[in-house]
Amino acid sequence: MNSSKFPVSPQAHVQAVPTIARRRFLQSAAIAGAGFASMQPWQAHAFAKSSDPWQQADAIVKRARHPVKFPKKDFPITNFGAKTCDTTEITAWVSFVEKASMQTPVKGSHDCYPAIAAAIQTCHKAGGGRVLIPKGNWYCAGPIVLLSNVNVHLQAGAHVYFSNNPDDYAKYGAFDCGANGKLSITRWEGNDCLNFSSLVYAYGQNNIALTGEDWTSILDGQAGVDWNDQGECWWSWKGRQKPSSAGDIAPGTKGDWIPHLQGRTEESVNPNNPISLEAIAPHLGAEERAMIQGKGDRWRRDSAYLRALAEAGVPVEKRIFGHGHYLRPHMVQFISCTNVLFANYQSTNTPFWQHNPVHCKNMHVKHIYANSLGPNSDGFDPESCDYVVIEDCTFDTGDDCIAVDSGKGPDIQYGPSQNIVIQNCKMHSGHGAMTFGSIMSGGIQNVFAQNLVFENSHWQTDPLNIAIRFKTNMSRGGFLRNLHIRNVTVPNGIRTTPAFYSTIPGSVIPNKSVATSAGGVITIDCGYDPNNDNVRNRPPVVSDIHISNVKVSNVAIQGGQYSCYQALVILGPVVSDYNGKGTPTITPVTNVTISDCDLGNPVNVAQPIFLYNVKGLKLKNVKIGEKTYNQEMSA
């Protein structure tokens, strides 16, 4: 079957990929699914029980901290034809609302993609070693794709400038999808698809590493640099008309924001997507099809269309995006890899999430600087990963600093995220400093976070929205359990103004009445942005969360000394959001303990704590304003 004959059309992205590639994908997916199926949820949960949960954290660190070992052989990319490039100064976007001067490769710079690919292939065939990117500026017009037993290493002062042209990430993938390009297996916001390759990519590899020597070892996605004379850049594809009142994009100070072209965004109805799911999912009945599509044609936006394909059970090899679509690639995405190391480098100006390892096991993340303020620039999002240590890292992001995920909707074949330790990290800007979800349909358990500083150094212009954040809803579902967080310092408070999500018409929660989008130090949100999901038939289960020794300082703002808008916001599952069949079992948020904390002075003195559908919240020596709480609370 030669898919190159197919044009881009409303049906182009649902055509089958070549038979060999399709078979390889299905085999790998079956193996992953079988691995998850063999472990029942109760077995994993039983493993977590211990009289001292932090002993389990120590065991995770011991197992995951040293996952890789390479032969002492170097493969410098200069031996394969790589050449440094000259750079020139330009003005480009550094966030959704700000421009700044920066360097970019001059036009006609030497493309190091072939040399880097050849060095990795040679290193892999020789049994492994280190692919060395020396000090200097390097232009790479294509993805860096790691193979087993290869450590891609940037020397101090090595700056890799990735091409900012989408075409360069639809040239080299394993799946020839005709006019949509040669694409790669990716996962985008928790759903599998074929799309532009991430800028650094690996699939199904073992014993791999991406390392530098310090934060002058830089991977630069150039996502705010225009690629055409119409002012379009990677971040244009986000499609925001202006900074959002929901709190997900900082307002900035100059009243300016990234422009986009009409119809060329992930939030625009895409005419390349069919007008009805009947064209691609004929097995659906009319009622089910209507539920997935919802009202109108908003489901035909690329960001919603992928979700609809997953809900409709369309096979992954037919979820084809790439050319003609606007789903931005990750900076770094490793899928189904074992024994992985990320260490000692900086990522910046990334098109989408900065790091998204999916279904990876035995992973150590040490001393990286995730530094990108563009839209959706999450710092590090481990998804359905097992045995992970993230330590000594710094985050300055345009979205969540760290978000633990596990797939969205039906795409949960990789199972939960579990056995994760996060420690000794610093967070600056972001939506949530330490976040769980919202992409968590596969569940999250056995996560330990300690010794964290949520610096919020940009508190006057771009404040941290939420310190500790848990988010799910009736569509994402999943479970959160056995989560332990201790020793957190927030020296400059968090955002002191509230932000809200709109509720579903008829909800028992009044519209824009609960500040779950911004303003709460600790926020458990089981009704996260409900209007963004048409299928809402997976009630989440949240229990066994234990938080201690969180210290939040006040700052001089709004004519007083304040630390936040509210200290604690817990919105349990909202029964009226459910639109599935039958009467669901919906449980309150249970067994949450918060102890030995000083959460500072909330602006909302009248209601420093909001609770809905919560059972048995235990507050022990928790100081909020002038009051210390020692009590059990339910709502």
Side-chain angles (χ1 to χ4, degrees):
M1 170 178 175
N2 184 357
S3 60
S4 64
K5 295 179 181 179
F6 295 121
V8 176
S9 68
Q11 289 77 35
H13 47 280
V14 299
Q15 297 152 359
V17 296
T19 303
I20 294 176
R22 179 178 182 272
R23 184 180 301 122
R24 183 172 63 197
F25 173 81
L26 293 176
Q27 288 172 341
S28 62
I31 292 171
F36 173 53
S38 65
M39 182 186 69
Q40 298 300 319
W42 67 267
Q43 292 175 310
H45 192 39
F47 176 72
K49 296 298 183 180
S50 170
S51 57
D52 180 3
W54 293 98
Q55 289 182 357
Q56 185 184 351
D58 292 342
I60 293 168
V61 170
K62 185 176 180 179
R63 170 169 172 165
R65 187 175 266 168
H66 304 288
V68 295
K69 187 175 182 180
F70 304 99
K72 294 183 178 180
K73 295 184 291 184
D74 282 348
F75 299 80
I77 62 171
T78 50
N79 289 359
F80 297 84
K83 299 176 182 179
T84 56
C85 66
D86 294 328
T87 61
T88 186
E89 186 173 349
I90 61 169
T91 299
W93 296 99
V94 293
S95 76
F96 186 75
V97 293
E98 293 183 64
K99 283 186 171 182
S101 295
M102 65 175 63
Q103 295 293 313
T104 191
V106 298
K107 290 184 178 180
S109 290
H110 178 79
D111 178 13
C112 294
Y113 168 80
I116 295 173
I120 291 172
Q121 188 66 239
T122 302
C123 177
H124 169 68
K125 289 182 178 179
R130 188 171 68 163
V131 169
L132 188 65
I133 301 178
K135 178 180 179 180
N137 296 318
W138 310 90
Y139 174 64
C140 186
I144 294 176
V145 181
L146 276 74
L147 300 174
S148 292
N149 302 315
V150 173
N151 173 16
V152 172
H153 180 77
L154 285 71
Q155 287 186 331
H159 192 138
V160 177
Y161 290 91
F162 285 96
S163 165
N164 61 334
N165 188 339
D167 292 350
D168 293 323
Y169 304 96
K171 289 181 178 178
Y172 305 108
F175 297 83
D176 186 345
C177 300
N180 294 74
K182 293 183 178 179
L183 306 179
S184 300
I185 298 170
T186 66
R187 176 169 277 207
W188 200 88
E189 288 196 344
N191 291 127
D192 302 309
C193 63
L194 298 175
N195 195 26
F196 301 105
S197 172
S198 63
L199 281 57
V200 183
Y201 179 77
Y203 185 90
Q205 304 301 308
N206 175 55
N207 191 44
I208 56 176
L210 179 64
T211 63
E213 293 180 8
D214 56 33
W215 291 345
T216 67
S217 304
I218 299 173
L219 298 169
D220 189 338
Q222 300 201 99
V225 178
D226 298 349
W227 69 59
N228 59 27
D229 58 8
Q230 296 171 291
E232 199 172 20
C233 66
W234 276 122
W235 291 337
S236 300
W237 286 7
K238 173 64 179 177
R240 289 286 193 214
Q241 297 287 350
K242 59 184 180 179
S244 171
S245 61
D248 61 346
I249 295 176
T253 57
K254 299 180 181 178
D256 198 9
W257 49 81
I258 295 172
H260 63 267
L261 301 183
Q262 189 67 32
R264 289 178 55 86
T265 82
E266 67 194 49
E267 296 298 326
S268 306
V269 172
N270 191 334
N272 288 327
N273 297 332
I275 61 174
S276 171
L277 278 173
E278 188 174 11
I280 54 172
H283 60 280
L284 295 176
E287 182 180 356
E288 188 175 8
R289 184 169 63 250
M291 173 184 283
I292 295 171
Q293 293 181 182
K295 295 181 179 179
D297 59 0
R298 294 179 72 248
W299 71 278
R300 296 176 63 206
R301 301 170 300 157
D302 282 340
S303 58
Y305 182 62
L306 174 57
R307 194 177 315 147
L309 294 179
E311 294 285 4
V314 173
V316 177
E317 70 272 15
K318 293 185 178 181
R319 304 179 196 174
I320 300 177
F321 287 80
H323 290 315
H325 299 271
Y326 305 99
L327 300 184
R328 293 164 288 151
H330 304 79
M331 185 71 176
V332 181
Q333 187 176 61
F334 291 178
I335 302 176
S336 296
C337 296
T338 56
N339 302 319
V340 177
L341 172 66
F342 300 99
N344 302 319
Y345 63 86
Q346 177 183 169
S347 59
T348 191
N349 301 318
T350 67
F352 194 56
W353 297 355
Q354 297 183 59
H355 301 83
N356 179 218
V358 178
H359 188 225
C360 292
K361 190 170 186 176
N362 301 334
M363 181 168 62
H364 188 198
V365 185
K366 182 176 177 64
H367 196 244
I368 65 169
Y369 182 21
N371 176 32
S372 183
L373 298 178
N376 308 110
S377 291
D378 291 43
F380 203 98
D381 290 8
E383 185 170 346
S384 298
C385 291
D386 193 5
Y387 286 101
V388 179
V389 174
I390 303 172
E391 58 185 346
D392 305 323
C393 297
T394 296
F395 301 88
D396 202 0
T397 70
D399 209 298
D400 294 324
C401 295
I402 295 176
V404 182
D405 294 328
S406 63
K408 184 191 291 180
D411 288 350
I412 58 172
Q413 72 271 24
Y414 297 138
S417 269
Q418 60 184 2
N419 303 320
I420 298 173
V421 174
I422 299 155
Q423 59 187 10
N424 306 321
C425 292
K426 181 179 289 187
M427 288 75 166
H428 292 291
S429 291
H431 296 181
M434 182 67 249
T435 300
F436 300 83
S438 67
I439 299 165
M440 50 158 285
S441 299
I444 300 169
Q445 61 187 5
N446 309 341
V447 181
F448 306 83
Q450 63 178 341
N451 307 330
L452 305 176
V453 178
F454 301 162
E455 188 73 31
N456 193 22
S457 53
H458 312 301
W459 63 271
Q460 291 178 304
T461 57
D462 186 14
L464 183 68
N465 285 349
I466 296 170
I468 301 170
R469 188 180 194 186
F470 309 83
K471 49 182 179 175
T472 182
N473 61 24
M474 284 290 176
S475 179
R476 316 300 168 92
F479 57 80
L480 289 166
R481 61 194 183 202
N482 197 38
L483 310 180
H484 300 262
I485 302 171
R486 68 180 182 182
N487 305 338
V488 176
T489 302
V490 191
N492 294 300
I494 64 162
R495 176 169 159 164
T496 56
T497 56
F500 312 89
Y501 294 110
S502 296
T503 56
I504 292 171
S507 174
V508 297
I509 303 296
N511 191 44
K512 294 188 175 181
S513 64
V514 184
T516 53
S517 182
V521 175
I522 300 170
T523 299
I524 302 176
D525 180 8
C526 298
Y528 172 73
D529 197 9
N531 284 293
N532 203 32
D533 294 296
N534 292 331
V535 179
R536 302 185 302 275
N537 57 7
R538 305 178 185 93
V541 179
V542 178
S543 65
D544 301 288
I545 298 173
H546 308 287
I547 301 170
S548 64
N549 196 28
V550 177
K551 309 297 183 185
V552 187
S553 298
N554 302 312
V555 295
I557 196 168
Q558 298 183 41
Q561 293 284 327
Y562 299 111
S563 64
C564 58
Y565 176 72
Q566 286 178 298
L568 180 60
V569 178
I570 303 181
L571 176 65
V574 180
V575 65
S576 57
D577 288 352
Y578 183 84
N579 67 354
K581 295 180 179 180
T583 303
T585 299
I586 296 178
T587 58
V589 174
T590 60
N591 194 25
V592 174
T593 62
I594 301 174
S595 60
D596 302 319
C597 294
D598 184 346
L599 304 183
N601 298 333
V603 169
N604 190 345
V605 177
Q607 191 180 27
I609 298 173
F610 174 86
L611 302 179
Y612 172 84
N613 202 8
V614 181
K615 182 179 179 181
L617 166 68
K618 298 180 179 65
L619 303 181
K620 303 175 183 178
N621 189 32
V622 176
K623 187 173 185 291
I624 301 173
E626 298 301 316
K627 182 176 180 178
T628 299
Y629 292 79
N630 288 283
Q631 64 188 94
E632 183 171 315
M633 307 174 75
S634 297

